Amino acid sequence: MTTTIVPHTADEQAELLVQKIKHYLITMFGHVLEDATSDEFYQAFCFSVREQIMINWQATAETWQKSGSKMIFYLSMEFLPGRFLYNNIANLKDQEVIAKALHKTKRSLSELISHEFDPGLGNGGLGRLASCFLDSLATLKMPSRGYGLRYQYGLFEQQLWDGWQVEKPDVWLWTQNPWEFRRDLRKMPVKFCGSPVKGTSPVGEEIFGLTNAEEVWAMPYDFPIVGYSPKNDFCVVTLRLWSTKESPRNFELQRYNAGRLDQAAENTTLTDVLYPSDQHETGKRIRLKQEFLLVSASIQDIFRYYFSMFPDLKQFKDKVRIQINDTHPAMLIAELMRILIKRFSLQWSEAWEITQAVTSYTNHTILAEALEVWDQNLFRYLLPRQYRIIEHINQDFCTQVRKRFPNNEETVRRLSILENGQVRMANLAVAGSHSVNGVAALHTEILKKTIFKEFYEMMPDKFLNVTNGVTQRRWLLHCDPDLAELITSKIGDGWICDFSQIRKLADFAGDEETQNSFLEVKRKNKHRLLNFIREDGRPRDAQGHQSSFSLSADTSFLFDVQIKRVHEYKRQLMNALHLIMLYHEILDNPYKQRQKRLSIFGGKAAASYDTAKTIIRLINCISKKVNNDPVASQFLNVVYLENYNVSKAELLIPAADLSEQISTAGLEASGTGNMKFGMNGALTIGTDDGANVEMREEVGDQWWPFLFGASSDEIHDLKAAGTYKAWDIYSNNPKIKRAVDALKDRSLATGEAEHQSLSSLYYTLLEGSWGTQPDKFFVLKDLASYYDTQKKVEELYQTPQKWAEYALHNIAGMGKFSTDRSINEYCTNIWDIKPVPISQEYFDKVITAYKQSSALV
């Protein structure tokens, strides 16, 4: 863009920004600068900063709409964007101006950032990946829009009361959010239940009306996702989130007056909580309603957008692409078919051709419990019209399966969408999409060989791999600015938009001055994290009150970090058992010199996942025991940071020395935390699982020293043979036996509740639980290898220069793992989307209107 809003010096721009802040303080809050509260100043500051964003947002939208560009619509139940303010400042490249403005107003950026809550829109990697994708789509100027739900209370706020997870509402919307925009005129009706009324379309297709339906209104809130550009021509992508909280139509007053309070408010609460517990029928019903709400409101909005550009449906197949992020939005296939046949009177075959052409599906798991299935009766009751569409899809698809696998009804049953009283959403997603991708090379091969084996044999051209990535702008430039500055001083700043250039850093890995600079950056990051832990990471007592605690760790400690959703396959339990083994070593030989270690955990367990919550309790029992031991605490500290989120990750990842990526091989689809740690200079201790495999290949075996454990093939063979005996490992390895025995010998527990919890883990490992095999995730199988590899970690850490050389080579090997590369592969191989920069004409138009409005102030 050749036109700018304020073609002045940094000092003049800072003064202009101060004047805007003062203007918003008076007009929005009725206060002058000197009387404004810090929250009022934060709001006014955000309103001022976002003016440039609004200009580019409008110019982006008008450019893409008026050009009739092909558009990708990305549907996901989760987004985890993190705080917007600092990321937007970084992408706008306004740090100098803002620093001057804040100095003039006697405020600090850290104070402002503390007023912003992390948006409670996701849980883990799925949501963070979706947000990284939107960042890259905006940066690469790809016409796109994201759709999700605006959860009033997020997943939950995690508090650890005496080590036990307690779920509280995540009140991220407690104050006004300056980064969201309510769009009342774009609200959409969504219908549930009712009685289907059979009819016939003008072309003879069976269609259904609906009487006595529950009608729910979905209210959209838009968030601007700012792309990065060296110039001021950045694009802004819209993230549209639907809410049922704000529409009075969703509250059923007659039921309320009749005393049925729960029924009266149910539809207003659909977007209250992400992943309500499905341990009861109400939770299952709300979950299914949530997913259809996302699908129905979004597809209506997609049609509205399309018809703002084109007069008829002829170009829909060529101009629209819809990505299903995991199985949650898979109902889109049935709803799109229903609309095409009923509203637009298409033949079934035409509608199916369009649906498959525009839809693609990303699979994120091979865990059976994560491949969604719904009870047919519940589905038929809540979505009667969509259920009949799925019946038709399934009938046609099973006919195709029989042609490909004649006289093989067992295969037909495995591939059927409707089977055993269930609706299989993954099967629907595969059948109704033109493309199915895994998210790491190993994961995709496992899909083709196991979970989707017959699907792959039937339609191999549908399957491909797109390895995940993360945005280096958020996860290096933004969260580790000192390291970013060091990298730029060595190889220039081209890596910010082309991360393949990070490979050049390998030329400096053996340079002593670069190694020392890296170690100093890491030391500063560790110091910052320690300050945070001592201030905000204090443990809670049994009443939930934070108490003081002693942490002897300093920056010389090895910072060993495992931060991720808590699940048995991610094996936080193996990490905990290793810590027990280290504690026993210290007890046995307290005067031996050894490497000091700070072990840090973070992550939430699903509210109804008792085993995962018990693992969290175990880690906190270890923490209490070790941190309060006057001898052991000099060598080992253990911390569990509650309520792990993006902002905490931005502190933890730059400070980490060791990245724990220790899932059971073959079960982690990809992982993205591994990539974030790698590009911030942490070395990985990990199994050959998910994207770890490709990271090792890119870094090189020489610089990937901490590989351990059984391979995915070995795990597969053990499962197939049924020969794995956890008891044999326990009986034959004294160190492992002693650590496992600590789970039930009361040496870690301080009360009966803790004793019962920890004992349950003992029995899970050695006897199994609820009909499952002992040690289902092969913790004891890999524990000895993990223990030995941790000794290699300690040995290498004793030579800081060598450690730094390894770390720099790991950073240099991360070039492949940018979402810029991932998005380019999606755009080329799946969506056929091309970049569309902001038009100078539309940019000038918006700038002119802005200047005219500003002149009136």
Side-chain angles (χ1 to χ4, degrees):
M1 301 293 100
T2 57
T3 308
T4 59
I5 303 175
V6 280
H8 308 299
T9 66
D11 285 327
E12 291 171 325
Q13 291 181 49
E15 182 57 35
L16 182 58
L17 179 58
V18 171
Q19 297 307 314
K20 289 179 181 178
I21 293 169
K22 290 179 177 179
H23 168 77
Y24 281 116
L25 283 173
I26 291 172
T27 58
M28 297 293 292
F29 303 105
H31 284 152
V32 296
L33 176 63
E34 293 74 18
D35 297 333
T37 67
S38 57
D39 185 66
E40 289 169 344
F41 186 90
Y42 161 75
Q43 296 283 343
F45 179 83
C46 291
F47 293 151
S48 304
V49 168
R50 77 183 190 186
E51 288 188 5
Q52 177 70 65
I53 295 172
M54 299 296 291
I55 290 165
N56 285 55
W57 197 5
Q58 177 62 34
T60 300
E62 196 158 350
T63 297
W64 290 349
Q65 186 175 35
K66 295 294 175 61
S67 66
S69 305
K70 179 186 283 190
M71 193 95 160
I72 175 64
F73 300 95
Y74 194 87
L75 271 66
S76 178
M77 285 292 284
E78 291 187 42
F79 290 91
L80 269 181
R83 290 170 171 166
F84 285 97
L85 176 58
Y86 191 74
N87 193 65
N88 288 343
I89 291 172
N91 280 5
L92 290 171
K93 303 176 300 304
D94 277 346
Q95 291 95 326
E96 181 185 1
V97 171
I98 284 166
K100 290 177 178 291
L102 292 176
H103 179 73
K104 288 174 179 284
T105 57
K106 297 180 173 59
R107 307 277 178 158
S108 72
L109 185 57
S110 60
E111 176 193 2
L112 291 183
I113 291 172
S114 70
H115 285 275
E116 183 174 5
F117 293 92
D118 276 53
L121 301 173
N123 180 26
L126 184 73
R128 188 53 235 167
L129 176 75
S131 293
C132 283
F133 276 3
L134 293 187
D135 176 279
S136 286
L137 283 164
T139 298
L140 297 172
K141 308 181 192 304
M142 300 293 185
S144 51
R145 176 177 293 177
Y147 286 107
L149 297 181
R150 181 180 179 266
Y151 303 105
Q152 188 77 15
Y153 303 114
L155 180 72
F156 55 80
E157 178 192 338
Q158 179 197 53
Q159 294 183 4
L160 300 177
W161 290 25
D162 198 24
W164 181 253
Q165 175 178 290
V166 175
E167 297 87 23
K168 299 285 185 178
D170 180 354
V171 290
W172 69 283
L173 291 172
W174 182 261
T175 58
Q176 180 181 359
N177 186 343
W179 304 109
E180 70 174 7
F181 299 82
R182 175 168 160 163
R183 307 295 196 192
D184 289 61
L185 297 181
R186 295 286 183 255
K187 65 180 182 293
M188 293 294 175
V190 179
K191 293 183 178 181
F192 299 102
C193 304
S195 301
V197 179
K198 186 175 179 180
T200 304
S201 75
V203 295
E205 292 290 350
E206 182 180 73
I207 58 175
F208 290 90
L210 197 63
T211 62
N212 302 317
E214 291 182 16
E215 187 173 73
V216 177
W217 284 90
M219 183 73 72
Y221 288 76
D222 288 354
F223 289 73
I225 306 301
V226 180
Y228 182 93
S229 176
K231 305 175 184 178
N232 70 325
D233 62 342
F234 59 90
C235 286
V236 181
V237 165
T238 297
L239 170 59
R240 178 158 289 177
L241 304 176
W242 303 102
S243 172
T244 60
K245 201 71 178 172
E246 302 302 325
S247 176
R249 289 278 300 274
N250 296 339
F251 184 75
E252 299 189 49
L253 186 59
Q254 289 182 338
R255 291 186 176 183
Y256 180 87
N257 288 335
R260 300 197 295 269
L261 306 189
D262 55 339
Q263 297 176 24
E266 179 172 303
N267 287 332
T268 70
T269 65
L270 293 185
T271 54
D272 273 7
V273 176
L274 169 63
Y275 301 141
S277 173
D278 58 3
Q279 299 299 300
H280 45 76
E281 292 305 312
T282 300
K284 292 175 183 177
R285 184 172 68 249
I286 297 297
R287 275 204 186 195
L288 186 55
K289 279 187 167 184
Q290 281 185 339
E291 293 184 5
F292 185 69
L293 180 85
L294 169 63
V295 162
S296 177
S298 300
I299 193 63
Q300 291 179 74
D301 198 58
I302 291 169
F303 274 115
R304 182 206 58 77
Y305 180 82
Y306 171 82
F307 283 113
S308 72
M309 298 184 292
F310 304 103
D312 53 44
L313 204 61
K314 292 179 181 178
Q315 297 192 68
F316 189 82
K317 184 171 70 171
D318 299 319
K319 294 295 184 178
V320 171
R321 290 293 179 266
I322 303 173
Q323 187 70 31
I324 298 172
N325 191 32
D326 222 349
T327 54
H328 309 119
M331 276 179 280
L332 176 133
I333 292 163
E335 180 65 355
L336 182 54
M337 285 291 293
R338 188 192 69 79
I339 292 172
L340 291 172
I341 292 168
K342 186 175 188 295
R343 178 177 168 187
F344 299 106
S345 300
L346 295 188
Q347 297 278 359
W348 179 275
S349 58
E350 294 177 289
W352 186 244
E353 181 183 348
I354 291 173
T355 297
Q356 284 193 309
V358 304
T359 307
S360 47
Y361 160 54
T362 299
N363 173 277
H364 287 275
T365 184
I366 63 169
L367 294 175
E369 63 265 28
L371 294 172
E372 279 194 312
V373 295
W374 291 107
D375 178 78
Q376 286 187 29
N377 291 328
L378 176 64
F379 200 108
R380 187 188 295 113
Y381 168 70
L382 287 178
L383 303 167
R385 296 178 296 173
Q386 291 73 21
Y387 183 79
R388 283 161 174 77
I389 293 287
I390 291 175
E391 284 185 316
H392 193 158
I393 292 172
N394 192 54
Q395 184 177 15
D396 288 355
F397 184 66
C398 286
T399 299
Q400 295 178 36
V401 176
R402 289 186 176 96
K403 289 179 181 178
R404 174 62 179 81
F405 301 101
N407 303 316
N408 192 341
E409 286 302 302
E410 182 58 34
T411 295
V412 175
R413 283 191 288 272
R414 282 198 296 272
L415 271 59
S416 176
I417 300 165
L418 301 173
E419 188 66 27
N420 293 328
Q422 295 178 328
V423 185
R424 299 166 170 172
M425 304 312 292
N427 289 17
L428 174 63
V430 175
S433 301
H434 76 273
S435 171
V436 178
N437 73 279
V439 291
L442 175 62
H443 171 236
T444 301
E445 289 305 305
I446 291 172
L447 291 180
K448 293 191 292 189
K449 292 176 181 177
T450 58
I451 300 298
F452 296 143
K453 181 176 183 292
E454 288 95 347
F455 282 109
Y456 175 67
E457 292 172 359
M458 186 175 172
M459 35 199 173
D461 293 341
K462 216 178 237 198
F463 288 79
L464 72 162
N465 176 63
V466 182
T467 298
N468 282 343
V470 301
T471 168
Q472 68 273 20
R473 290 168 290 276
R474 180 106 201 189
W475 293 107
L476 180 49
L477 180 67
H478 167 179
C479 80
D480 203 346
D482 290 337
L483 180 58
E485 184 179 348
L486 172 60
I487 293 170
T488 298
S489 73
K490 301 300 178 182
I491 67 172
D493 64 2
W495 61 270
I496 298 172
C497 291
D498 177 10
F499 204 47
S500 65
Q501 294 188 30
I502 201 71
R503 179 66 69 182
K504 300 175 186 176
L505 190 64
D507 295 338
F508 299 89
D511 174 59
E512 185 176 352
E513 184 271 331
T514 304
Q515 293 168 1
N516 288 333
S517 296
F518 168 80
L519 292 170
E520 177 58 21
V521 167
K522 187 66 71 174
R523 187 197 65 77
K524 288 173 62 178
N525 290 335
K526 292 163 82 168
H527 181 72
R528 180 179 60 161
L529 176 60
L530 285 172
N531 287 340
F532 174 82
I533 292 173
R534 290 188 171 107
E535 180 64 29
D536 297 317
R538 291 173 292 135
R540 297 178 188 269
D541 61 23
Q543 285 73 46
H545 303 126
Q546 284 191 308
S547 55
S548 61
F549 79 121
S550 175
L551 192 70
S552 62
D554 57 39
T555 58
S556 69
F557 277 53
L558 170 72
F559 279 34
D560 176 1
V561 182
Q562 186 174 17
I563 44 174
K564 52 184 74 238
R565 177 170 58 93
V566 182
H567 195 288
E568 288 169 274
Y569 89 85
K570 294 180 183 286
R571 301 202 292 192
Q572 286 92 347
L573 178 56
M574 184 166 67
N575 192 342
L577 289 171
H578 172 251
L579 293 176
I580 296 172
M581 295 166 78
L582 291 183
Y583 178 55
H584 289 161
E585 288 180 0
I586 297 171
L587 293 180
D588 292 343
N589 193 351
Y591 302 108
K592 178 183 177 181
Q593 291 301 308
R594 61 186 80 244
Q595 175 56 52
K596 299 177 180 180
R597 181 187 298 253
L598 171 60
S599 184
I600 305 173
F601 294 83
K604 299 177 181 179
S608 58
Y609 191 175
D610 287 340
T611 301
K613 293 171 80 168
T614 301
I615 291 170
I616 293 175
R617 170 172 268 179
L618 167 64
I619 295 166
N620 281 281
C621 287
I622 297 170
S623 176
K624 286 188 294 183
K625 177 66 68 173
V626 171
N627 294 348
N628 291 314
D629 185 308
V631 176
S633 62
Q634 300 307 306
F635 300 100
L636 179 63
N637 287 179
V638 180
V639 172
Y640 201 114
L641 284 179
E642 67 180 18
N643 204 42
Y644 172 65
N645 56 21
V646 174
S647 294
K648 287 187 172 71
E650 290 168 349
L651 284 169
L652 285 159
I653 290 171
D657 295 307
L658 189 66
S659 164
E660 297 274 354
Q661 308 298 330
I662 59 178
S663 55
T664 309
L667 295 185
E668 185 71 80
S670 168
T672 52
N674 46 4
M675 304 167 188
K676 296 164 193 167
F677 279 110
M679 64 176 58
N680 281 270
L683 299 188
T684 300
I685 181 168
T687 52
D688 229 15
D689 192 26
N692 289 359
V693 179
E694 292 161 81
M695 289 171 62
R696 174 177 56 78
E697 292 169 352
E698 292 294 312
V699 171
D701 289 333
Q702 178 185 359
W703 306 108
W704 191 264
F706 306 137
L707 174 68
F708 78 94
S711 68
S712 61
D713 287 340
E714 290 172 315
I715 295 293
H716 177 269
D717 291 345
L718 284 171
K719 288 179 179 179
T723 55
Y724 174 57
K725 304 295 183 186
W727 186 268
D728 291 345
I729 296 172
Y730 165 80
S731 301
N732 295 322
N733 188 314
K735 290 182 178 180
I736 290 177
K737 184 179 186 301
R738 185 181 177 190
V740 174
D741 284 346
L743 299 177
K744 69 177 182 65
D745 66 9
R746 298 181 183 269
S747 62
L748 299 174
T750 55
E752 188 60 27
E754 288 184 352
H755 172 64
Q756 293 297 328
S757 286
L758 272 54
S759 295
S760 71
L761 295 177
Y762 173 91
Y763 295 115
T764 297
L765 288 172
L766 297 178
E767 298 180 9
S769 60
W770 302 102
T772 63
Q773 70 182 57
D775 194 15
K776 180 181 177 182
F777 296 97
F778 300 90
V779 170
L780 300 188
K781 165 68 178 173
D782 283 346
L783 182 53
S785 174
Y786 179 64
Y787 174 86
D788 292 340
T789 306
Q790 286 281 12
K791 293 303 180 189
K792 296 178 183 177
V793 170
E794 294 174 357
E795 181 181 358
L796 182 61
Y797 194 74
Q798 296 293 326
T799 54
Q801 302 297 139
K802 196 67 178 175
W803 183 278
E805 183 178 10
Y806 275 81
L808 290 164
H809 275 292
N810 272 256
I811 297 171
M814 291 297 108
K816 174 181 177 179
F817 304 103
S818 166
T819 42
D820 295 347
R821 186 268 314 151
S822 302
I823 287 299
N824 273 319
E825 290 184 11
Y826 276 102
C827 289
T828 301
N829 301 329
I830 298 177
W831 304 330
D832 189 27
I833 300 281
K834 293 179 172 56
V836 180
I838 293 177
S839 160
Q840 184 71 53
E841 175 189 354
Y842 297 132
F843 187 79
D844 290 344
K845 174 184 171 183
V846 179
I847 281 288
T848 300
Y850 171 80
K851 287 183 176 179
Q852 290 172 347
S853 66
S854 298
L856 299 176
V857 177

